[in-house]
Amino acid sequence: EIVLTQSPGTLSLSPGERATLSCRASQSVTNNYIAWYQQTPGQAPRLLIYGASSRATGISDRFSGSGSGTDFTLTISRLEPEDFAVYYCQQHGSSPRTFGQGTKVEFK
Amino acid sequence: EVQLLESGGGLVQPGGSLRLSCVASGFTFYSYAMSWVRQAPGKGLEWVSDISGSGDYTNYADSVKGRVTISRDNSKNTLYLQMNSLRVDDTAVYYCAKEAPMTELDDWGQGTLVIVSS
């Protein structure tokens, strides 16, 4: 099973700032199939990025994904108030399709 | 518009059973693999199981293997999760999700809460 470790656990930033979230895999991810999801309180997760760098339908270009092998990054270029949430990475290249433990982006 | 509506959650005693359902609409159900993902109160997401569009192939997380069975009825556009020998640590919101062609989860239901407690 591939273990995903996200860092930092919490990111304290202000609107307009850039957020950089990391996801490290315990072994190489098949086809670099890493997805990123956003979850706000009481809501279901929402797909942002898949295949490491492809944006999902309707997702703002403020969100971008990069990386390969075992190291992946989600970048939010300029934080909007609605971006303060918890973000999860998931590897969708092999079973079991594990999630990271999440990074919370909070108001500074 | 894709809609996924889960049901079947509730309070059950340890060792008990429960069957969750997820009714899908807005897409060609049999063409897509489907997943169950759960989230314990205040915790992160945990992938539970998935099933191919035909229902011929299934996968399970080690934490539920042998206790949980995923299935689907394509004539009813419905996904199921049969959970047996439930444990306290199975307490969670259970989400069903549609798998896109690259197996990312592109649509999610709102979840159904399962509480395992005596």
PDB file of all heavy atoms in Angstrom, chain A residues 1 33 35 37 39 42-45 47 50-51 88 90 92 95-97 99, chain B residues 37 39 43-47 50 59 95 99 102-106 108-110:
ATOM      1  N   GLU A   1       0.839  -1.200   0.000  1.00  0.00           N
ATOM      2  CA  GLU A   1       0.000   0.000   0.000  1.00  0.00           C
ATOM      3  C   GLU A   1       0.875   1.251   0.000  1.00  0.00           C
ATOM      4  O   GLU A   1       1.864   1.321   0.725  1.00  0.00           O
ATOM      5  CB  GLU A   1      -0.914  -0.040   1.234  1.00  0.00           C
ATOM      6  CG  GLU A   1      -1.432   1.260   1.726  1.00  0.00           C
ATOM      7  CD  GLU A   1      -2.426   1.130   2.859  1.00  0.00           C
ATOM      8  OE1 GLU A   1      -3.133   0.119   2.951  1.00  0.00           O
ATOM      9  OE2 GLU A   1      -2.496   2.091   3.651  1.00  0.00           O
ATOM     10  N   TYR A  33      -0.404   9.354 -10.957  1.00  0.00           N
ATOM     11  CA  TYR A  33      -1.843   9.548 -10.737  1.00  0.00           C
ATOM     12  C   TYR A  33      -2.079  10.032  -9.297  1.00  0.00           C
ATOM     13  O   TYR A  33      -2.443   9.276  -8.405  1.00  0.00           O
ATOM     14  CB  TYR A  33      -2.614   8.263 -10.999  1.00  0.00           C
ATOM     15  CG  TYR A  33      -2.991   8.016 -12.434  1.00  0.00           C
ATOM     16  CD1 TYR A  33      -2.428   8.755 -13.462  1.00  0.00           C
ATOM     17  CD2 TYR A  33      -3.914   7.036 -12.771  1.00  0.00           C
ATOM     18  CE1 TYR A  33      -2.777   8.531 -14.786  1.00  0.00           C
ATOM     19  CE2 TYR A  33      -4.270   6.794 -14.094  1.00  0.00           C
ATOM     20  CZ  TYR A  33      -3.695   7.545 -15.093  1.00  0.00           C
ATOM     21  OH  TYR A  33      -4.048   7.305 -16.406  1.00  0.00           O
ATOM     22  N   ALA A  35      -4.337  12.887  -7.205  1.00  0.00           N
ATOM     23  CA  ALA A  35      -5.452  13.825  -7.248  1.00  0.00           C
ATOM     24  C   ALA A  35      -5.433  14.670  -5.981  1.00  0.00           C
ATOM     25  O   ALA A  35      -4.922  14.252  -4.938  1.00  0.00           O
ATOM     26  CB  ALA A  35      -6.781  13.074  -7.349  1.00  0.00           C
ATOM     27  N   TYR A  37      -8.084  17.093  -3.551  1.00  0.00           N
ATOM     28  CA  TYR A  37      -9.474  17.406  -3.247  1.00  0.00           C
ATOM     29  C   TYR A  37      -9.518  18.515  -2.191  1.00  0.00           C
ATOM     30  O   TYR A  37      -8.655  18.598  -1.323  1.00  0.00           O
ATOM     31  CB  TYR A  37     -10.203  16.177  -2.683  1.00  0.00           C
ATOM     32  CG  TYR A  37     -10.198  14.984  -3.619  1.00  0.00           C
ATOM     33  CD1 TYR A  37      -9.141  14.085  -3.603  1.00  0.00           C
ATOM     34  CD2 TYR A  37     -11.239  14.764  -4.510  1.00  0.00           C
ATOM     35  CE1 TYR A  37      -9.112  12.992  -4.462  1.00  0.00           C
ATOM     36  CE2 TYR A  37     -11.228  13.676  -5.373  1.00  0.00           C
ATOM     37  CZ  TYR A  37     -10.157  12.800  -5.338  1.00  0.00           C
ATOM     38  OH  TYR A  37     -10.139  11.718  -6.197  1.00  0.00           O
ATOM     39  N   GLN A  39     -12.022  20.180   0.793  1.00  0.00           N
ATOM     40  CA  GLN A  39     -13.203  19.924   1.612  1.00  0.00           C
ATOM     41  C   GLN A  39     -13.424  21.072   2.588  1.00  0.00           C
ATOM     42  O   GLN A  39     -12.523  21.420   3.349  1.00  0.00           O
ATOM     43  CB  GLN A  39     -13.089  18.606   2.374  1.00  0.00           C
ATOM     44  CG  GLN A  39     -14.387  18.214   3.081  1.00  0.00           C
ATOM     45  CD  GLN A  39     -14.294  16.889   3.808  1.00  0.00           C
ATOM     46  OE1 GLN A  39     -13.260  16.534   4.349  1.00  0.00           O
ATOM     47  NE2 GLN A  39     -15.398  16.136   3.819  1.00  0.00           N
ATOM     48  N   GLY A  42     -18.595  20.321   6.722  1.00  0.00           N
ATOM     49  CA  GLY A  42     -19.943  19.846   6.455  1.00  0.00           C
ATOM     50  C   GLY A  42     -20.231  19.495   5.007  1.00  0.00           C
ATOM     51  O   GLY A  42     -21.367  19.130   4.686  1.00  0.00           O
ATOM     52  N   GLN A  43     -19.221  19.606   4.160  1.00  0.00           N
ATOM     53  CA  GLN A  43     -19.421  19.350   2.736  1.00  0.00           C
ATOM     54  C   GLN A  43     -18.637  18.123   2.277  1.00  0.00           C
ATOM     55  O   GLN A  43     -17.655  17.726   2.904  1.00  0.00           O
ATOM     56  CB  GLN A  43     -18.978  20.551   1.903  1.00  0.00           C
ATOM     57  CG  GLN A  43     -19.761  21.817   2.196  1.00  0.00           C
ATOM     58  CD  GLN A  43     -21.242  21.671   1.875  1.00  0.00           C
ATOM     59  OE1 GLN A  43     -21.616  21.204   0.791  1.00  0.00           O
ATOM     60  NE2 GLN A  43     -22.092  22.043   2.820  1.00  0.00           N
ATOM     61  N   ALA A  44     -19.081  17.565   1.165  1.00  0.00           N
ATOM     62  CA  ALA A  44     -18.324  16.481   0.543  1.00  0.00           C
ATOM     63  C   ALA A  44     -17.066  17.048  -0.104  1.00  0.00           C
ATOM     64  O   ALA A  44     -17.005  18.231  -0.452  1.00  0.00           O
ATOM     65  CB  ALA A  44     -19.187  15.790  -0.504  1.00  0.00           C
ATOM     66  N   PRO A  45     -16.050  16.226  -0.272  1.00  0.00           N
ATOM     67  CA  PRO A  45     -14.848  16.687  -0.984  1.00  0.00           C
ATOM     68  C   PRO A  45     -15.172  17.049  -2.428  1.00  0.00           C
ATOM     69  O   PRO A  45     -16.142  16.566  -3.007  1.00  0.00           O
ATOM     70  CB  PRO A  45     -13.924  15.452  -0.922  1.00  0.00           C
ATOM     71  CG  PRO A  45     -14.418  14.663   0.236  1.00  0.00           C
ATOM     72  CD  PRO A  45     -15.906  14.871   0.254  1.00  0.00           C
ATOM     73  N   LEU A  47     -13.213  17.525  -6.241  1.00  0.00           N
ATOM     74  CA  LEU A  47     -12.001  17.260  -7.016  1.00  0.00           C
ATOM     75  C   LEU A  47     -11.448  18.549  -7.603  1.00  0.00           C
ATOM     76  O   LEU A  47     -12.174  19.322  -8.230  1.00  0.00           O
ATOM     77  CB  LEU A  47     -12.314  16.269  -8.151  1.00  0.00           C
ATOM     78  CG  LEU A  47     -11.174  15.963  -9.120  1.00  0.00           C
ATOM     79  CD1 LEU A  47     -10.063  15.184  -8.419  1.00  0.00           C
ATOM     80  CD2 LEU A  47     -11.700  15.183 -10.327  1.00  0.00           C
ATOM     81  N   TYR A  50      -6.274  16.180 -11.030  1.00  0.00           N
ATOM     82  CA  TYR A  50      -6.053  14.749 -11.198  1.00  0.00           C
ATOM     83  C   TYR A  50      -4.862  14.527 -12.114  1.00  0.00           C
ATOM     84  O   TYR A  50      -4.442  15.448 -12.821  1.00  0.00           O
ATOM     85  CB  TYR A  50      -7.315  14.055 -11.740  1.00  0.00           C
ATOM     86  CG  TYR A  50      -7.719  14.519 -13.115  1.00  0.00           C
ATOM     87  CD1 TYR A  50      -7.326  13.835 -14.263  1.00  0.00           C
ATOM     88  CD2 TYR A  50      -8.506  15.662 -13.277  1.00  0.00           C
ATOM     89  CE1 TYR A  50      -7.699  14.267 -15.516  1.00  0.00           C
ATOM     90  CE2 TYR A  50      -8.878  16.102 -14.535  1.00  0.00           C
ATOM     91  CZ  TYR A  50      -8.478  15.394 -15.641  1.00  0.00           C
ATOM     92  OH  TYR A  50      -8.842  15.832 -16.896  1.00  0.00           O
ATOM     93  N   GLY A  51      -4.311  13.307 -12.077  1.00  0.00           N
ATOM     94  CA  GLY A  51      -3.126  13.038 -12.881  1.00  0.00           C
ATOM     95  C   GLY A  51      -1.985  13.995 -12.580  1.00  0.00           C
ATOM     96  O   GLY A  51      -1.206  14.343 -13.474  1.00  0.00           O
ATOM     97  N   TYR A  88      -6.794  17.384   0.528  1.00  0.00           N
ATOM     98  CA  TYR A  88      -6.305  16.014   0.582  1.00  0.00           C
ATOM     99  C   TYR A  88      -5.704  15.620  -0.761  1.00  0.00           C
ATOM    100  O   TYR A  88      -6.278  15.928  -1.808  1.00  0.00           O
ATOM    101  CB  TYR A  88      -7.442  15.035   0.891  1.00  0.00           C
ATOM    102  CG  TYR A  88      -8.084  15.210   2.239  1.00  0.00           C
ATOM    103  CD1 TYR A  88      -9.223  15.991   2.385  1.00  0.00           C
ATOM    104  CD2 TYR A  88      -7.555  14.585   3.371  1.00  0.00           C
ATOM    105  CE1 TYR A  88      -9.828  16.147   3.632  1.00  0.00           C
ATOM    106  CE2 TYR A  88      -8.157  14.735   4.617  1.00  0.00           C
ATOM    107  CZ  TYR A  88      -9.297  15.517   4.735  1.00  0.00           C
ATOM    108  OH  TYR A  88      -9.880  15.673   5.973  1.00  0.00           O
ATOM    109  N   GLN A  90      -4.621  12.185  -3.028  1.00  0.00           N
ATOM    110  CA  GLN A  90      -4.968  10.777  -3.157  1.00  0.00           C
ATOM    111  C   GLN A  90      -4.190  10.206  -4.329  1.00  0.00           C
ATOM    112  O   GLN A  90      -4.070  10.874  -5.371  1.00  0.00           O
ATOM    113  CB  GLN A  90      -6.463  10.597  -3.422  1.00  0.00           C
ATOM    114  CG  GLN A  90      -6.901   9.141  -3.523  1.00  0.00           C
ATOM    115  CD  GLN A  90      -8.127   8.912  -4.403  1.00  0.00           C
ATOM    116  OE1 GLN A  90      -8.465   9.731  -5.251  1.00  0.00           O
ATOM    117  NE2 GLN A  90      -8.810   7.791  -4.192  1.00  0.00           N
ATOM    118  N   HIS A  92      -4.378   7.673  -7.260  1.00  0.00           N
ATOM    119  CA  HIS A  92      -5.408   6.898  -7.956  1.00  0.00           C
ATOM    120  C   HIS A  92      -4.803   6.026  -9.044  1.00  0.00           C
ATOM    121  O   HIS A  92      -5.469   5.685 -10.025  1.00  0.00           O
ATOM    122  CB  HIS A  92      -6.516   7.827  -8.491  1.00  0.00           C
ATOM    123  CG  HIS A  92      -6.064   8.930  -9.401  1.00  0.00           C
ATOM    124  ND1 HIS A  92      -6.242   8.895 -10.756  1.00  0.00           N
ATOM    125  CD2 HIS A  92      -5.474  10.134  -9.142  1.00  0.00           C
ATOM    126  CE1 HIS A  92      -5.774  10.011 -11.296  1.00  0.00           C
ATOM    127  NE2 HIS A  92      -5.306  10.788 -10.329  1.00  0.00           N
ATOM    128  N   SER A  95      -4.352   0.130  -6.456  1.00  0.00           N
ATOM    129  CA  SER A  95      -5.232  -0.173  -5.341  1.00  0.00           C
ATOM    130  C   SER A  95      -4.409  -0.725  -4.185  1.00  0.00           C
ATOM    131  O   SER A  95      -3.483  -1.512  -4.406  1.00  0.00           O
ATOM    132  CB  SER A  95      -6.274  -1.198  -5.785  1.00  0.00           C
ATOM    133  OG  SER A  95      -7.299  -1.318  -4.823  1.00  0.00           O
ATOM    134  N   PRO A  96      -4.716  -0.349  -2.938  1.00  0.00           N
ATOM    135  CA  PRO A  96      -5.784   0.560  -2.507  1.00  0.00           C
ATOM    136  C   PRO A  96      -5.461   2.019  -2.795  1.00  0.00           C
ATOM    137  O   PRO A  96      -4.319   2.438  -2.710  1.00  0.00           O
ATOM    138  CB  PRO A  96      -5.857   0.321  -0.997  1.00  0.00           C
ATOM    139  CG  PRO A  96      -4.471  -0.105  -0.612  1.00  0.00           C
ATOM    140  CD  PRO A  96      -3.963  -0.900  -1.785  1.00  0.00           C
ATOM    141  N   ARG A  97      -6.495   2.796  -3.142  1.00  0.00           N
ATOM    142  CA  ARG A  97      -6.314   4.181  -3.562  1.00  0.00           C
ATOM    143  C   ARG A  97      -6.261   5.084  -2.330  1.00  0.00           C
ATOM    144  O   ARG A  97      -7.234   5.716  -1.976  1.00  0.00           O
ATOM    145  CB  ARG A  97      -7.452   4.572  -4.498  1.00  0.00           C
ATOM    146  CG  ARG A  97      -7.587   3.595  -5.662  1.00  0.00           C
ATOM    147  CD  ARG A  97      -8.477   4.136  -6.746  1.00  0.00           C
ATOM    148  NE  ARG A  97      -8.910   3.149  -7.706  1.00  0.00           N
ATOM    149  CZ  ARG A  97      -8.148   2.556  -8.602  1.00  0.00           C
ATOM    150  NH1 ARG A  97      -6.859   2.830  -8.664  1.00  0.00           N
ATOM    151  NH2 ARG A  97      -8.638   1.676  -9.442  1.00  0.00           N
ATOM    152  N   PHE A  99      -5.387   7.952   0.627  1.00  0.00           N
ATOM    153  CA  PHE A  99      -5.405   9.404   0.805  1.00  0.00           C
ATOM    154  C   PHE A  99      -4.291   9.809   1.757  1.00  0.00           C
ATOM    155  O   PHE A  99      -3.886   9.042   2.636  1.00  0.00           O
ATOM    156  CB  PHE A  99      -6.727   9.855   1.422  1.00  0.00           C
ATOM    157  CG  PHE A  99      -7.909   9.845   0.491  1.00  0.00           C
ATOM    158  CD1 PHE A  99      -8.707   8.716   0.390  1.00  0.00           C
ATOM    159  CD2 PHE A  99      -8.244  10.967  -0.254  1.00  0.00           C
ATOM    160  CE1 PHE A  99      -9.808   8.693  -0.458  1.00  0.00           C
ATOM    161  CE2 PHE A  99      -9.344  10.956  -1.100  1.00  0.00           C
ATOM    162  CZ  PHE A  99     -10.122   9.821  -1.195  1.00  0.00           C
TER     163      PHE A  99
ATOM    164  N   VAL B  37     -15.956   5.961   0.047  1.00  0.00           N
ATOM    165  CA  VAL B  37     -14.926   6.609   0.851  1.00  0.00           C
ATOM    166  C   VAL B  37     -15.569   6.980   2.177  1.00  0.00           C
ATOM    167  O   VAL B  37     -16.721   7.423   2.193  1.00  0.00           O
ATOM    168  CB  VAL B  37     -14.382   7.881   0.146  1.00  0.00           C
ATOM    169  CG1 VAL B  37     -13.384   8.628   1.046  1.00  0.00           C
ATOM    170  CG2 VAL B  37     -13.740   7.523  -1.187  1.00  0.00           C
ATOM    171  N   GLN B  39     -15.229   8.843   6.274  1.00  0.00           N
ATOM    172  CA  GLN B  39     -14.555   9.884   7.062  1.00  0.00           C
ATOM    173  C   GLN B  39     -15.060   9.804   8.495  1.00  0.00           C
ATOM    174  O   GLN B  39     -16.218  10.137   8.760  1.00  0.00           O
ATOM    175  CB  GLN B  39     -14.808  11.261   6.470  1.00  0.00           C
ATOM    176  CG  GLN B  39     -14.034  12.376   7.131  1.00  0.00           C
ATOM    177  CD  GLN B  39     -14.124  13.670   6.334  1.00  0.00           C
ATOM    178  OE1 GLN B  39     -15.162  13.996   5.758  1.00  0.00           O
ATOM    179  NE2 GLN B  39     -13.025  14.422   6.294  1.00  0.00           N
ATOM    180  N   LYS B  43     -11.860  13.424  11.396  1.00  0.00           N
ATOM    181  CA  LYS B  43     -10.662  12.798  10.807  1.00  0.00           C
ATOM    182  C   LYS B  43     -10.621  12.999   9.294  1.00  0.00           C
ATOM    183  O   LYS B  43     -11.482  13.658   8.717  1.00  0.00           O
ATOM    184  CB  LYS B  43     -10.660  11.296  11.138  1.00  0.00           C
ATOM    185  CG  LYS B  43     -10.699  10.985  12.622  1.00  0.00           C
ATOM    186  CD  LYS B  43      -9.493  11.512  13.357  1.00  0.00           C
ATOM    187  CE  LYS B  43      -9.516  11.104  14.816  1.00  0.00           C
ATOM    188  NZ  LYS B  43      -8.375  11.675  15.578  1.00  0.00           N
ATOM    189  N   GLY B  44      -9.607  12.400   8.676  1.00  0.00           N
ATOM    190  CA  GLY B  44      -9.423  12.537   7.242  1.00  0.00           C
ATOM    191  C   GLY B  44     -10.206  11.505   6.440  1.00  0.00           C
ATOM    192  O   GLY B  44     -10.989  10.719   6.982  1.00  0.00           O
ATOM    193  N   LEU B  45      -9.983  11.537   5.136  1.00  0.00           N
ATOM    194  CA  LEU B  45     -10.681  10.640   4.230  1.00  0.00           C
ATOM    195  C   LEU B  45      -9.984   9.281   4.169  1.00  0.00           C
ATOM    196  O   LEU B  45      -8.761   9.204   4.192  1.00  0.00           O
ATOM    197  CB  LEU B  45     -10.708  11.251   2.816  1.00  0.00           C
ATOM    198  CG  LEU B  45     -11.370  12.610   2.682  1.00  0.00           C
ATOM    199  CD1 LEU B  45     -11.172  13.163   1.276  1.00  0.00           C
ATOM    200  CD2 LEU B  45     -12.853  12.534   3.021  1.00  0.00           C
ATOM    201  N   GLU B  46     -10.780   8.228   4.089  1.00  0.00           N
ATOM    202  CA  GLU B  46     -10.252   6.876   3.952  1.00  0.00           C
ATOM    203  C   GLU B  46     -10.984   6.174   2.809  1.00  0.00           C
ATOM    204  O   GLU B  46     -12.205   5.988   2.882  1.00  0.00           O
ATOM    205  CB  GLU B  46     -10.407   6.075   5.244  1.00  0.00           C
ATOM    206  CG  GLU B  46      -9.855   4.660   5.141  1.00  0.00           C
ATOM    207  CD  GLU B  46     -10.138   3.792   6.354  1.00  0.00           C
ATOM    208  OE1 GLU B  46     -10.975   4.167   7.198  1.00  0.00           O
ATOM    209  OE2 GLU B  46      -9.513   2.715   6.468  1.00  0.00           O
ATOM    210  N   TRP B  47     -10.261   5.780   1.775  1.00  0.00           N
ATOM    211  CA  TRP B  47     -10.845   5.004   0.684  1.00  0.00           C
ATOM    212  C   TRP B  47     -11.222   3.625   1.220  1.00  0.00           C
ATOM    213  O   TRP B  47     -10.438   2.988   1.940  1.00  0.00           O
ATOM    214  CB  TRP B  47      -9.844   4.896  -0.455  1.00  0.00           C
ATOM    215  CG  TRP B  47     -10.313   4.083  -1.600  1.00  0.00           C
ATOM    216  CD1 TRP B  47     -11.077   4.490  -2.648  1.00  0.00           C
ATOM    217  CD2 TRP B  47     -10.054   2.692  -1.812  1.00  0.00           C
ATOM    218  NE1 TRP B  47     -11.305   3.437  -3.500  1.00  0.00           N
ATOM    219  CE2 TRP B  47     -10.694   2.326  -3.010  1.00  0.00           C
ATOM    220  CE3 TRP B  47      -9.346   1.717  -1.103  1.00  0.00           C
ATOM    221  CZ2 TRP B  47     -10.644   1.037  -3.519  1.00  0.00           C
ATOM    222  CZ3 TRP B  47      -9.282   0.435  -1.600  1.00  0.00           C
ATOM    223  CH2 TRP B  47      -9.930   0.098  -2.800  1.00  0.00           C
ATOM    224  N   ASP B  50     -13.890  -0.087  -4.236  1.00  0.00           N
ATOM    225  CA  ASP B  50     -14.440   0.330  -5.510  1.00  0.00           C
ATOM    226  C   ASP B  50     -14.852  -0.873  -6.334  1.00  0.00           C
ATOM    227  O   ASP B  50     -14.529  -2.020  -6.013  1.00  0.00           O
ATOM    228  CB  ASP B  50     -13.508   1.282  -6.275  1.00  0.00           C
ATOM    229  CG  ASP B  50     -12.224   0.637  -6.753  1.00  0.00           C
ATOM    230  OD1 ASP B  50     -12.017  -0.574  -6.530  1.00  0.00           O
ATOM    231  OD2 ASP B  50     -11.389   1.357  -7.353  1.00  0.00           O
ATOM    232  N   ASN B  59     -12.304  -3.973  -5.374  1.00  0.00           N
ATOM    233  CA  ASN B  59     -11.117  -3.806  -4.542  1.00  0.00           C
ATOM    234  C   ASN B  59     -11.555  -3.308  -3.176  1.00  0.00           C
ATOM    235  O   ASN B  59     -12.570  -2.601  -3.065  1.00  0.00           O
ATOM    236  CB  ASN B  59     -10.158  -2.775  -5.160  1.00  0.00           C
ATOM    237  CG  ASN B  59      -9.584  -3.234  -6.474  1.00  0.00           C
ATOM    238  OD1 ASN B  59      -8.787  -4.155  -6.526  1.00  0.00           O
ATOM    239  ND2 ASN B  59     -10.003  -2.590  -7.549  1.00  0.00           N
ATOM    240  N   TYR B  95     -19.262   8.149   2.007  1.00  0.00           N
ATOM    241  CA  TYR B  95     -19.565   8.817   0.744  1.00  0.00           C
ATOM    242  C   TYR B  95     -19.478   7.828  -0.411  1.00  0.00           C
ATOM    243  O   TYR B  95     -18.538   7.011  -0.454  1.00  0.00           O
ATOM    244  CB  TYR B  95     -18.551   9.919   0.455  1.00  0.00           C
ATOM    245  CG  TYR B  95     -18.521  11.081   1.410  1.00  0.00           C
ATOM    246  CD1 TYR B  95     -17.558  11.160   2.410  1.00  0.00           C
ATOM    247  CD2 TYR B  95     -19.436  12.130   1.299  1.00  0.00           C
ATOM    248  CE1 TYR B  95     -17.500  12.247   3.274  1.00  0.00           C
ATOM    249  CE2 TYR B  95     -19.380  13.216   2.148  1.00  0.00           C
ATOM    250  CZ  TYR B  95     -18.407  13.259   3.138  1.00  0.00           C
ATOM    251  OH  TYR B  95     -18.366  14.341   3.985  1.00  0.00           O
ATOM    252  N   GLU B  99     -16.110   7.368 -10.275  1.00  0.00           N
ATOM    253  CA  GLU B  99     -14.740   7.377 -10.769  1.00  0.00           C
ATOM    254  C   GLU B  99     -14.709   7.842 -12.217  1.00  0.00           C
ATOM    255  O   GLU B  99     -15.362   7.274 -13.081  1.00  0.00           O
ATOM    256  CB  GLU B  99     -14.110   5.989 -10.655  1.00  0.00           C
ATOM    257  CG  GLU B  99     -13.780   5.569  -9.244  1.00  0.00           C
ATOM    258  CD  GLU B  99     -12.943   4.274  -9.183  1.00  0.00           C
ATOM    259  OE1 GLU B  99     -12.413   3.859 -10.224  1.00  0.00           O
ATOM    260  OE2 GLU B  99     -12.842   3.700  -8.086  1.00  0.00           O
ATOM    261  N   MET B 102      -9.719   8.225 -15.463  1.00  0.00           N
ATOM    262  CA  MET B 102      -8.398   8.016 -14.875  1.00  0.00           C
ATOM    263  C   MET B 102      -8.494   7.604 -13.408  1.00  0.00           C
ATOM    264  O   MET B 102      -7.498   7.591 -12.700  1.00  0.00           O
ATOM    265  CB  MET B 102      -7.546   9.279 -15.026  1.00  0.00           C
ATOM    266  CG  MET B 102      -7.069   9.496 -16.452  1.00  0.00           C
ATOM    267  SD  MET B 102      -6.316  11.122 -16.704  1.00  0.00           S
ATOM    268  CE  MET B 102      -4.871  11.034 -15.648  1.00  0.00           C
ATOM    269  N   THR B 103      -9.690   7.242 -12.979  1.00  0.00           N
ATOM    270  CA  THR B 103     -10.019   6.732 -11.633  1.00  0.00           C
ATOM    271  C   THR B 103      -9.993   7.768 -10.527  1.00  0.00           C
ATOM    272  O   THR B 103     -10.144   7.430  -9.358  1.00  0.00           O
ATOM    273  CB  THR B 103      -9.142   5.515 -11.213  1.00  0.00           C
ATOM    274  OG1 THR B 103      -7.801   5.935 -10.943  1.00  0.00           O
ATOM    275  CG2 THR B 103      -9.153   4.440 -12.271  1.00  0.00           C
ATOM    276  N   GLU B 104      -9.826   9.047 -10.903  1.00  0.00           N
ATOM    277  CA  GLU B 104     -10.036  10.071  -9.879  1.00  0.00           C
ATOM    278  C   GLU B 104     -11.537  10.158  -9.576  1.00  0.00           C
ATOM    279  O   GLU B 104     -12.369   9.734 -10.371  1.00  0.00           O
ATOM    280  CB  GLU B 104      -9.490  11.426 -10.364  1.00  0.00           C
ATOM    281  CG  GLU B 104     -10.294  12.083 -11.454  1.00  0.00           C
ATOM    282  CD  GLU B 104      -9.974  11.588 -12.852  1.00  0.00           C
ATOM    283  OE1 GLU B 104      -9.359  10.515 -12.992  1.00  0.00           O
ATOM    284  OE2 GLU B 104     -10.367  12.287 -13.805  1.00  0.00           O
ATOM    285  N   LEU B 105     -11.861  10.696  -8.407  1.00  0.00           N
ATOM    286  CA  LEU B 105     -13.257  10.734  -7.956  1.00  0.00           C
ATOM    287  C   LEU B 105     -13.832  12.103  -8.274  1.00  0.00           C
ATOM    288  O   LEU B 105     -13.583  13.078  -7.558  1.00  0.00           O
ATOM    289  CB  LEU B 105     -13.311  10.436  -6.453  1.00  0.00           C
ATOM    290  CG  LEU B 105     -12.680   9.094  -6.064  1.00  0.00           C
ATOM    291  CD1 LEU B 105     -12.669   8.917  -4.556  1.00  0.00           C
ATOM    292  CD2 LEU B 105     -13.428   7.948  -6.730  1.00  0.00           C
ATOM    293  N   ASP B 106     -14.604  12.199  -9.354  1.00  0.00           N
ATOM    294  CA  ASP B 106     -15.000  13.507  -9.853  1.00  0.00           C
ATOM    295  C   ASP B 106     -16.371  13.965  -9.396  1.00  0.00           C
ATOM    296  O   ASP B 106     -16.723  15.132  -9.591  1.00  0.00           O
ATOM    297  CB  ASP B 106     -14.867  13.583 -11.378  1.00  0.00           C
ATOM    298  CG  ASP B 106     -15.777  12.605 -12.108  1.00  0.00           C
ATOM    299  OD1 ASP B 106     -16.326  11.689 -11.455  1.00  0.00           O
ATOM    300  OD2 ASP B 106     -15.910  12.748 -13.340  1.00  0.00           O
ATOM    301  N   TRP B 108     -19.238  13.393  -5.984  1.00  0.00           N
ATOM    302  CA  TRP B 108     -19.435  12.793  -4.666  1.00  0.00           C
ATOM    303  C   TRP B 108     -20.871  13.026  -4.204  1.00  0.00           C
ATOM    304  O   TRP B 108     -21.464  14.069  -4.509  1.00  0.00           O
ATOM    305  CB  TRP B 108     -18.505  13.453  -3.641  1.00  0.00           C
ATOM    306  CG  TRP B 108     -17.048  13.247  -3.873  1.00  0.00           C
ATOM    307  CD1 TRP B 108     -16.307  13.701  -4.935  1.00  0.00           C
ATOM    308  CD2 TRP B 108     -16.129  12.584  -3.009  1.00  0.00           C
ATOM    309  NE1 TRP B 108     -14.995  13.340  -4.787  1.00  0.00           N
ATOM    310  CE2 TRP B 108     -14.854  12.666  -3.607  1.00  0.00           C
ATOM    311  CE3 TRP B 108     -16.251  11.950  -1.773  1.00  0.00           C
ATOM    312  CZ2 TRP B 108     -13.708  12.098  -3.010  1.00  0.00           C
ATOM    313  CZ3 TRP B 108     -15.125  11.395  -1.177  1.00  0.00           C
ATOM    314  CH2 TRP B 108     -13.864  11.466  -1.804  1.00  0.00           C
ATOM    315  N   GLY B 109     -21.402  12.074  -3.438  1.00  0.00           N
ATOM    316  CA  GLY B 109     -22.652  12.305  -2.752  1.00  0.00           C
ATOM    317  C   GLY B 109     -22.404  13.113  -1.483  1.00  0.00           C
ATOM    318  O   GLY B 109     -21.264  13.479  -1.171  1.00  0.00           O
ATOM    319  N   GLN B 110     -23.464  13.374  -0.749  1.00  0.00           N
ATOM    320  CA  GLN B 110     -23.361  14.146   0.485  1.00  0.00           C
ATOM    321  C   GLN B 110     -23.058  13.289   1.701  1.00  0.00           C
ATOM    322  O   GLN B 110     -22.777  13.809   2.775  1.00  0.00           O
ATOM    323  CB  GLN B 110     -24.630  14.959   0.721  1.00  0.00           C
ATOM    324  CG  GLN B 110     -24.696  16.207  -0.147  1.00  0.00           C
ATOM    325  CD  GLN B 110     -23.469  17.096   0.053  1.00  0.00           C
ATOM    326  OE1 GLN B 110     -23.155  17.542   1.146  1.00  0.00           O
ATOM    327  NE2 GLN B 110     -22.725  17.361  -1.035  1.00  0.00           N
TER     328      GLN B 110
END
